[in-house]
Amino acid sequence: MWPEIMQINVTTDGEFYHFTSHPANVYIAGSELEVRMSCTAAPLSNRAWIYSWRLNNQYLSNQPIGNAIFIGYDTSVLTIRPRSSIHDITIFGNNNNFTCVATNNNGPITSNIARVLRIGKPYFQGNSLVNTAVTYVTGQQATIICKYTPFPEIPVTLLWYYTNNGLPLSTSSDGRISISLDGTVYFANLQFSDAAPYRCAVRPDEPRTTTNIIFYSGNTTLNITPRYFGPEFFKTSLNARGRVGSSVTLECIARGRPTPSISWCIYNPNTQLCNNIQASAKYTFNQASNRLTINSLIPQDAGTYRCTARSTRGSKFANNNLQIDPQLTWITRFTSMSGSVEDTVTLPCVALGAPPLKYTWYKQAILLPMTNSRFSMATTNGNLTIRSLNNDTGVYQCKVEDRYGSIASGGYFEVKVFAARFTAQMPKQQIIQVGPSAQLICPIDGGPKPTIDYFFNGNRINLLSNKYQGLRTGNLLIRNVVTSDGGNYTCRGRNRINPSNQYVTNWATVHVYAPTKILDGPTTRDFRIGSTVTIPCNVTADTRIVNAVSVAWQKDGQPLQGSKYVVRNSYPNYALTINNAQIPESGNYTCTMTAIIAQVPGQRIIDSKTGTINFNAIPAAPRLIYGRLINSSRVFLNWTFASGNENNSPLQKFVVQFKSNYIATVRSLLEISNINQRSVFIIPSPYMTYTFYIAAQNGVGLSQSSNQWEINNPHTSVPTDAPTNLYSVADLTDLTKLTVVWTPLTGEQANGPGLTYLLRYRISGTVNSYREIDVRASSYTITGLQARTRYDFNLRARNDIGRSTTFIDHIGCTCQEAPIGTPFNVTVLVTNTNVVINWLQIPLHLQRGTIKTNKVRIARATPYAPDTIAIAAGTSIIIYGLPNNTNFTVEINGINSVGEGPYSIAKAFRTNGLDTAHAPSLANPISADITNVTIAFQWTISGQPFYYQPQYRLPNAIWQSGNNLTRQSTRVVFTKLSPNTAYQFRVNAIYFIGRNISSNILTVQTKSYTGQQVTPWYQQAWFIIVIVIAGLGLVIAIVVILCKGRRKAGKFPVPKDKQNPPIPPPPETNNEEYDTIKRPPLPHPQTETVHQGDDVLLDNDSIDSLEQYADLPGLSKFNEDGSFIGEYGDKDMDRYSQYNRDSVVEQAGSQYGTVRDDASYHTNHNTLDVNDNNTTFSTFV
């Protein structure tokens, strides 16, 4: 059933129901006459709020509860008073939840919970009151914890006192005594003066007027006895979170004797550099810099904040990671709306904040249970879906909470019940256009939603077809509109409220026209002042109404006026040109096309497009009107900035700029985000002349600098900064020398005249006194050291005023060590399955010597499968043919002569869809003559493998591999084959990550005897016949020539005084078994080169001659003994010749065996000797 029919109320949709002020907790101490709470709901346009109050969801009245009576329980201010003479209110504890309820004639909303909290509970109980004594040695760290028992939600301040005299214990200016945010006392190093009893105290902060209530713990007595030790950390923030716009405090509490000093910097893991943090409005320090507060947080403040504790005993740092969360704000908030009974509706509620967000819905100020199956809330936001609407009218409120706070928004939701009816007039003549879709306007609605039927030219439309769809608004969606969709349409509808079999009906004639609209119109754009710009307005129209098209331009709803505007008034281009535009020409520009349909009287097609056009520029420069050095540590600057100088772009900030007498470049010193601020105090460095400027920044950019103001600070002090990037380099030719190098201070950091550096060193792990050296440069070579020994170094700056209190330290060695840093700024450019990897080399101060090699480790992400490749020290490598559509990581390290450094942070990348790993295409043998000496092959390939691996085998036997060929190779020569034998050949393309792709297989049969070759032309029959016919007189000459020809044997000439070696007899059958294949053993091949005097007889027709090998392009040359000289190797492979033996490793189970990439394995010769007795061949490099 649905609710009874009601008159439809006129509601104001779009109004937000929420509280502008919520009731707050009230704290009482001792006897109080009364307490008050108040609340205020946001005013509405046509409704008044009525207030009431609840205690634990029970509405308050004039009836007392316990010892309390309530006054103003029906107003926005609630007063709670005791009803007896005992001035106390006894409703305390956790079950004490007051809420304010604001109600209008649509329903109520509820406020946040507030409590009345009593202060008076003893904070210290049991063991916290027991007196204890602890004995320490001098210089030892110590911790005293305040073990109080807090009462929930009462803000307190923790205090510490000396028990003997009652004086408060304060933190020390040098950071030796610190109190953490949780109230724990830390002694960085104990002194004899610290021997005393201590006790902590708790002082409630509320109520503000009652501050004399203090609760004390038991005593902790420290007994002291001497020791020295280096800096360590008691406590650090480690991981902290803050919200945009708020402040966050990080803490680093150190211990050590002497007391360590604390400094802070922002660490960049990519560059491995740390930028020092100076005190400013953005950054403030407390407790001797133990606490760093970062104010006005923005997302860019997220990062690693490093604190460093230093003393003469050494230094230590700790990283504190800061996460910045967004401020809790609305993305889509619920407002008043309505729905039809039995329908489904979704109430929006989406916010942005620190995850996880908690969404809660209230109806009529009562928590809405989600146990009803009709209600469901989205899993990723707070959108509330209500199905089968029924008695669901009321005020709904959505509350969103994150770790920092909450926001809420509400509104009135009305479930409407009414008979189906036309909610607006249905146009009798409707125009639609050819295109993907159009709608027939039929505004029928009802509660519940009516059933609507549609008719076209008297025929009922099938809504189950893909052509038509009935919409919730009552309109009919027509898809793929064509001219034939024009005609007479009828729509009718009814619901259960309508009388039986009675429909509301209306009709319309639909006319179909070709697309008539604006194709390209104005959009939101920014242009610079003084520009001449053209704003498009291109239209198209049905041919029947082209001449009836008109276009009008408006700016901010008004017709254009002035000579600056020029409109092109010619179909189809009606562009607007604005000449020499200035700020007044900024505004909303609308292009409106109107096409009058003469065939349908009173009908027209109208289309418009609007774009916001802004003409702006960088701001005008501020004017610096005053500057003065107030004292040695403060400069005051004052400037003006006239209204309107923002140049039509919102002002974002002011920037204080400066240059100095040391560095003439103008730099930014301070950014001021408060755009209403016109003055600033600056802490100047001593002994420096400043030239100050002010600039303004808007959305376009930074203005020109203002006029300058020069201020000289004559005051001096010791340097406050330490040199940076301290490292040492051993002299490997003389291990008693060590060169220490650092980045010196700039003149701006000198703080006075006579800047030098004090370099101190001693053998590590000893208590020996430091040796000190005064250095004026940025490096120093120390001689006479002990070889292969570690030394402690510390370096500080000093000037004529004195030594700096800050220093940098380093442990060096009169030896070479493995690198301690990593390459950084690793980038990967992916092109299909090829990747270009670039990086920056390890910083010098982290190399610990000279980087000779970089190792690149690439690994599949899942399952993890790493491969490495080593290259000569560089910053780039190209890897070809990785598997496609695969996730990888790449890491890089550096290697010096001692060993490897750590790998860089893994950089993830993914290869694309096109696989660039291809198989070689092996062609038939190059030579026309196939002998037992040589078979030459060449191949083509469209990819770029890492290298090639040629292989051969007897049919059905195991493939045999030799040395690998460079990736530029395209030819291989097999030698020392056996006669009358069938061989199979192939070439494998080897890609990174163990990808082996084989070519096609070629089978080649060698000749039947050694040395068989093609008969020369002068032994051919036709030549003999010609010679015979020429005359018997030439017979003797012919015989001599024929005899001479028969003396030639094989590919190399035989001297006249030596006969050809005999052809070996066929081998005896020896049923030798090889991989289960029976075959006869093959004889050892024989080759021989014979010289005659200084001449070598060559056969120019033989492909195997030395001369032809020498002349073929891209092939190797021979030595005099017939061996190859590697002249067709790959010069580019020089960089790969340093691959270590861990580089490319074939995957387990591969039939190719292990693939190496060391220098001995990549060849520059493509000749391979085959010896079938041991089934191997060699590739000469």
Side-chain angles (χ1 to χ4, degrees):
M1 292 294 294
W2 58 89
E4 59 179 317
I5 300 176
M6 63 184 73
Q7 182 176 355
I8 301 173
N9 296 324
V10 177
T11 62
T12 304
D13 289 346
E15 287 191 309
F16 300 107
Y17 291 13
H18 65 281
F19 283 90
T20 56
S21 66
H22 292 265
N25 290 342
V26 177
Y27 304 90
I28 62 174
S31 298
E32 299 288 344
L33 295 177
E34 64 179 32
V35 295
R36 291 185 180 183
M37 296 180 179
S38 64
C39 64
T40 306
L44 300 176
S45 58
N46 57 359
R47 287 177 175 81
W49 291 106
I50 298 175
Y51 293 93
S52 56
W53 290 82
R54 294 185 302 196
L55 172 60
N56 300 327
N57 289 326
Q58 175 185 348
Y59 282 92
L60 299 178
S61 65
N62 57 3
Q63 297 298 316
I65 297 178
N67 193 39
I69 59 174
F70 305 97
I71 302 171
Y73 53 81
D74 54 356
T75 68
S76 62
V77 179
L78 174 67
T79 301
I80 309 172
R81 293 177 179 171
R83 62 174 180 168
S84 67
S85 59
I86 302 174
H87 300 305
D88 195 7
I89 301 170
T90 58
I91 45 174
F92 309 114
N94 292 329
N95 193 25
N96 171 24
N97 299 324
F98 286 88
T99 52
C100 173
V101 178
T103 306
N104 60 35
N105 58 356
N106 283 331
I109 60 174
T110 182
S111 71
N112 291 342
I113 293 174
R115 293 186 176 95
V116 177
L117 300 172
R118 176 181 174 81
I119 299 174
K121 178 179 178 179
Y123 277 79
F124 296 97
Q125 303 176 21
N127 290 335
S128 63
L129 296 174
V130 176
N131 296 327
T132 59
V134 187
T135 300
Y136 295 94
V137 296
T138 302
Q140 188 175 355
Q141 72 274 12
T143 303
I144 310 177
I145 301 175
C146 185
K147 297 179 180 179
Y148 72 98
T149 306
F151 191 74
E153 298 191 29
I154 295 181
V156 298
T157 298
L158 295 178
L159 306 170
W160 283 90
Y161 293 90
Y162 293 98
T163 304
N164 292 340
N165 55 22
L167 295 176
L169 173 66
S170 302
T171 58
S172 60
S173 60
D174 62 355
R176 193 179 68 83
I177 303 175
S178 302
I179 301 176
S180 67
L181 297 174
D182 63 5
T184 302
V185 176
Y186 294 92
F187 292 87
N189 62 84
L190 290 170
Q191 300 177 357
F192 287 112
S193 60
D194 296 323
Y198 301 86
R199 63 176 179 175
C200 77
V202 173
R203 183 185 67 203
D205 292 341
E206 295 288 353
R208 299 294 181 185
T209 57
T210 308
T211 58
N212 56 349
I213 302 176
I214 297 180
F215 304 94
Y216 292 97
S217 70
N219 298 322
T220 300
T221 302
L222 301 183
N223 299 311
I224 315 296
T225 66
R227 192 171 70 94
Y228 294 87
F229 63 99
E232 297 288 342
F233 283 104
F234 276 121
K235 184 178 182 181
T236 63
S237 294
L238 292 181
N239 297 298
R241 297 176 69 173
R243 183 182 61 185
V244 169
S246 65
S247 298
V248 67
T249 297
L250 308 178
E251 63 180 352
C252 281
I253 300 176
R255 59 180 180 262
R257 180 173 175 84
T259 303
S261 62
I262 302 293
S263 62
W264 292 81
C265 60
I266 302 175
Y267 178 67
N268 186 331
N270 291 324
T271 63
Q272 302 182 48
L273 297 177
C274 210
N275 296 322
N276 291 332
I277 297 176
Q278 303 293 337
S280 63
K282 180 71 175 179
Y283 304 104
T284 55
F285 298 99
N286 290 290
Q287 291 199 12
S289 297
N290 287 343
R291 293 181 186 174
L292 167 66
T293 299
I294 308 167
N295 301 302
S296 303
L297 290 174
I298 59 176
Q300 292 77 9
D301 289 326
T304 301
Y305 291 79
R306 174 173 289 181
C307 58
T308 302
R310 291 187 176 91
S311 74
T312 56
R313 308 293 296 184
S315 68
K316 196 161 191 175
F317 69 81
N319 289 335
N320 303 272
N321 299 311
L322 176 60
Q323 174 183 329
I324 304 300
D325 294 319
Q327 194 168 16
L328 186 59
T329 54
W330 288 111
I331 296 177
T332 306
R333 59 190 295 187
F334 172 62
T335 183
S336 298
M337 56 186 294
S338 62
S340 297
V341 67
E342 296 184 356
D343 199 8
T344 297
V345 69
T346 297
L347 310 185
C349 184
V350 184
L352 173 67
L357 299 181
K358 179 183 177 182
Y359 291 89
T360 309
W361 280 91
Y362 296 85
K363 179 186 177 184
Q364 302 298 108
I366 302 298
L367 182 66
L368 185 66
M370 291 298 168
T371 54
N372 191 326
S373 61
R374 294 193 306 113
F375 298 87
S376 64
M377 192 163 60
T379 57
T380 57
N381 53 53
N383 288 347
L384 175 67
T385 299
I386 309 175
R387 300 172 185 84
S388 303
L389 289 173
N390 200 333
N391 295 310
D392 297 306
T393 296
V395 173
Y396 287 77
Q397 190 178 9
C398 178
K399 181 180 180 181
V400 191
E401 299 174 85
D402 68 2
R403 61 186 288 122
Y404 301 102
S406 65
I407 54 176
S409 180
Y412 181 64
F413 176 69
E414 181 182 5
V415 178
K416 295 184 177 181
V417 181
F418 59 100
R421 61 183 177 85
F422 281 87
T423 57
Q425 182 65 40
M426 180 175 179
K428 295 299 183 182
Q429 303 292 329
Q430 299 189 27
I431 307 295
I432 63 175
Q433 300 181 35
V434 173
S437 65
Q439 289 187 30
L440 169 73
I441 299 174
C442 180
I444 298 178
D445 196 9
K449 284 288 184 181
T451 300
I452 304 176
D453 300 318
Y454 304 90
F455 298 85
F456 175 51
N457 291 334
N459 299 314
R460 189 169 185 167
I461 292 175
N462 180 12
L463 295 179
L464 298 178
S465 68
N466 292 329
K467 177 73 174 178
Y468 302 99
Q469 179 184 348
L471 302 179
R472 292 176 58 85
T473 60
N475 294 349
L476 175 67
L477 178 68
I478 307 172
R479 297 189 179 93
N480 301 320
V481 178
V482 294
T483 305
S484 59
D485 288 322
N488 295 318
Y489 287 81
T490 301
C491 59
R492 69 180 188 182
R494 69 177 302 274
N495 61 16
R496 300 177 191 179
I497 310 302
N498 295 91
S500 179
N501 295 324
Q502 290 189 12
Y503 294 86
V504 292
T505 306
N506 216 328
W507 61 270
T509 300
V510 172
H511 306 269
V512 180
Y513 279 76
T516 301
K517 59 184 180 179
I518 298 174
L519 297 175
D520 183 20
T523 57
T524 298
R525 294 284 305 276
D526 283 348
F527 298 97
R528 299 297 168 259
I529 292 173
S531 302
T532 294
V533 301
T534 298
I535 308 172
C537 185
N538 297 316
V539 307
T540 185
D542 189 291
T543 55
R544 292 170 288 178
I545 55 175
V546 165
N547 295 331
V549 170
S550 62
V551 172
W553 280 91
Q554 291 182 319
K555 173 181 173 291
D556 297 329
Q558 300 297 321
L560 299 181
Q561 296 180 353
S563 59
K564 287 191 174 184
Y565 299 108
V566 178
V567 177
R568 178 187 174 95
N569 197 8
S570 176
Y571 179 87
N573 186 352
Y574 297 87
L576 168 66
T577 298
I578 309 174
N579 296 305
N580 189 26
Q582 301 297 317
I583 289 179
E585 277 70 63
S586 300
N588 294 319
Y589 284 81
T590 302
C591 167
T592 303
M593 181 200 77
T594 303
I596 298 176
I597 313 297
Q599 298 86 342
V600 184
Q603 291 295 312
R604 62 185 63 195
I605 297 176
I606 299 175
D607 190 20
S608 67
K609 289 187 181 297
T610 300
T612 301
I613 308 298
N614 285 320
F615 297 98
N616 50 34
I618 61 174
R623 178 168 177 77
L624 191 55
I625 59 174
Y626 184 72
R628 185 168 71 91
L629 179 69
I630 297 177
N631 53 42
S632 62
S633 61
R634 181 164 291 192
V635 166
F636 177 75
L637 298 177
N638 183 223
W639 65 92
T640 61
F641 186 80
S643 177
N645 284 353
E646 302 88 348
N647 283 342
N648 206 31
S649 178
L651 194 62
Q652 296 177 344
K653 59 187 174 183
F654 291 103
V655 179
V656 180
Q657 302 171 323
F658 80 103
K659 65 180 181 180
S660 73
N661 55 319
Y662 298 103
I663 301 176
T665 303
V666 176
R667 290 155 287 160
S668 294
L669 175 65
L670 179 67
E671 294 184 354
I672 301 171
S673 57
N674 182 0
I675 61 174
N676 297 314
Q677 186 171 328
R678 295 295 185 270
S679 63
V680 67
F681 287 97
I682 297 171
I683 301 174
S685 293
Y687 198 64
M688 199 163 96
T689 299
Y690 286 89
T691 302
F692 288 106
Y693 309 84
I694 304 292
Q697 182 170 316
N698 62 9
V700 179
L702 190 67
S703 73
Q704 298 292 323
S705 299
S706 69
N707 56 305
Q708 68 182 38
W709 202 282
E710 186 174 293
I711 295 177
N712 177 48
N713 184 7
H715 302 279
T716 58
S717 72
V718 299
T720 54
D721 295 327
T724 56
N725 300 330
L726 177 64
Y727 65 99
S728 59
V729 180
D731 186 343
L732 298 184
T733 63
D734 183 357
L735 291 181
T736 65
K737 292 182 179 179
L738 199 62
T739 299
V740 185
V741 185
W742 60 89
T743 300
L745 300 185
T746 66
E748 293 179 350
Q749 297 171 297
N751 290 356
L755 177 65
T756 59
Y757 300 94
L758 179 63
L759 176 63
R760 306 168 72 232
Y761 69 95
R762 69 180 179 188
I763 296 177
S764 296
T766 67
V767 294
N768 299 339
S769 298
Y770 280 96
R771 296 186 179 182
E772 297 185 351
I773 303 171
D774 247 334
V775 184
R776 294 187 177 275
S778 59
S779 65
Y780 188 83
T781 299
I782 306 173
T783 60
L785 301 174
Q786 295 182 21
R788 298 178 180 85
T789 304
R790 294 187 181 277
Y791 283 84
D792 295 334
F793 294 91
N794 73 41
L795 179 73
R796 70 183 73 206
R798 66 179 176 186
N799 56 23
D800 292 348
I801 291 83
R803 296 182 178 185
S804 172
T805 59
T806 60
F807 58 88
I808 185 172
D809 46 28
H810 163 70
I811 299 177
C813 183
T814 51
C815 58
Q816 191 171 12
E817 303 174 280
I820 63 171
T822 67
F824 59 100
N825 279 4
V826 179
T827 61
V828 180
L829 176 63
V830 179
T831 305
N832 294 319
T833 59
N834 302 333
V835 297
V836 179
I837 305 171
N838 295 287
W839 62 91
L840 295 181
Q841 193 56 271
I842 300 173
L844 286 174
H845 66 286
L846 303 176
Q847 290 186 8
R848 291 294 193 263
T850 301
I851 298 299
K852 297 181 179 298
T853 306
N854 286 108
K855 186 179 286 186
V856 180
R857 181 165 69 190
I858 295 181
R860 281 189 182 91
T862 306
Y864 184 75
D867 278 341
T868 58
I869 178 173
I871 66 170
T875 59
S876 180
I877 188 174
I878 303 177
I879 304 295
Y880 299 95
L882 294 175
N884 60 328
N885 294 324
T886 304
N887 295 320
F888 289 92
T889 59
V890 60
E891 304 162 275
I892 305 166
N893 73 1
I895 305 172
N896 59 22
S897 60
V898 173
E900 297 186 24
Y903 278 98
S904 63
I905 298 173
K907 177 78 172 181
F909 66 92
R910 180 178 176 84
T911 53
N912 296 331
L914 181 61
D915 194 348
T916 58
H918 300 278
S921 178
L922 191 62
N924 289 322
I926 296 174
S927 67
D929 175 35
I930 301 173
T931 73
N932 66 330
V933 175
T934 299
I935 297 179
F937 294 96
Q938 65 182 13
W939 61 87
T940 59
I941 191 169
S942 57
Q944 295 194 52
F946 202 50
Y947 57 87
Y948 294 103
Q949 182 189 60
Q951 293 182 317
Y952 84 103
R953 70 178 181 183
L954 297 175
N956 301 319
I958 292 178
W959 288 103
Q960 302 300 315
S961 304
N963 293 341
N964 300 325
L965 304 179
T966 66
R967 63 185 177 90
Q968 280 75 21
S969 302
T970 59
R971 177 185 169 103
V972 65
V973 179
F974 293 85
T975 63
K976 297 183 181 180
L977 300 172
S978 298
N980 196 27
T981 303
Y983 289 93
Q984 290 182 332
F985 301 91
R986 72 180 181 186
V987 175
N988 297 324
I990 310 298
Y991 294 89
F992 206 65
I993 311 293
R995 298 188 71 194
N996 301 350
I997 303 180
S998 299
S999 72
N1000 53 307
I1001 299 174
L1002 291 182
T1003 302
V1004 179
Q1005 178 80 30
T1006 59
K1007 297 294 184 175
S1008 60
Y1009 61 89
T1010 304
Q1012 181 176 356
Q1013 59 189 45
V1014 178
T1015 304
W1017 61 272
Y1018 45 78
Q1019 293 179 339
Q1020 301 294 320
W1022 63 270
F1023 182 78
I1024 297 173
I1025 294 172
V1026 170
I1027 296 303
V1028 171
I1029 295 175
L1032 295 176
L1034 299 177
V1035 171
I1036 297 175
I1038 295 172
V1039 172
V1040 173
I1041 294 173
L1042 291 175
C1043 291
K1044 181 178 180 180
R1046 295 179 183 275
R1047 295 182 62 187
K1048 301 180 65 176
K1051 57 186 285 187
F1052 303 115
V1054 180
K1056 294 179 181 180
D1057 58 352
K1058 189 171 183 179
Q1059 299 298 320
N1060 289 336
I1063 298 175
E1068 295 180 1
T1069 302
N1070 179 1
N1071 298 324
E1072 180 183 17
E1073 184 173 0
Y1074 178 74
D1075 291 333
T1076 72
I1077 303 297
K1078 304 290 185 179
R1079 65 172 178 81
L1082 301 179
H1084 290 282
Q1086 299 182 18
T1087 61
E1088 188 171 3
T1089 302
V1090 182
H1091 297 268
Q1092 182 177 5
D1094 293 332
D1095 298 325
V1096 178
L1097 302 180
L1098 301 176
D1099 184 347
N1100 291 331
D1101 290 337
S1102 172
I1103 191 64
D1104 296 325
S1105 66
L1106 293 176
E1107 182 180 63
Q1108 289 197 4
Y1109 272 105
D1111 292 340
L1112 285 174
L1115 296 182
S1116 293
K1117 310 288 193 230
F1118 282 89
N1119 282 320
E1120 292 182 353
D1121 61 356
S1123 63
F1124 280 92
I1125 304 172
E1127 293 187 1
Y1128 57 91
D1130 178 17
K1131 293 181 180 180
D1132 291 339
M1133 286 302 293
D1134 288 347
R1135 67 181 298 175
Y1136 296 99
S1137 67
Q1138 302 185 44
Y1139 298 165
N1140 61 15
R1141 57 176 176 266
D1142 319 276
S1143 49
V1144 179
V1145 179
E1146 189 173 8
Q1147 292 176 327
S1150 171
Q1151 61 175 325
Y1152 306 138
T1154 300
V1155 180
R1156 302 178 305 171
D1157 67 341
D1158 52 274
S1160 65
Y1161 207 63
H1162 291 279
T1163 71
N1164 291 331
H1165 287 265
N1166 296 28
T1167 301
L1168 301 99
D1169 292 340
V1170 178
N1171 185 332
D1172 288 323
N1173 288 337
N1174 56 17
T1175 323
T1176 63
F1177 67 83
S1178 62
T1179 300
F1180 292 93
V1181 182

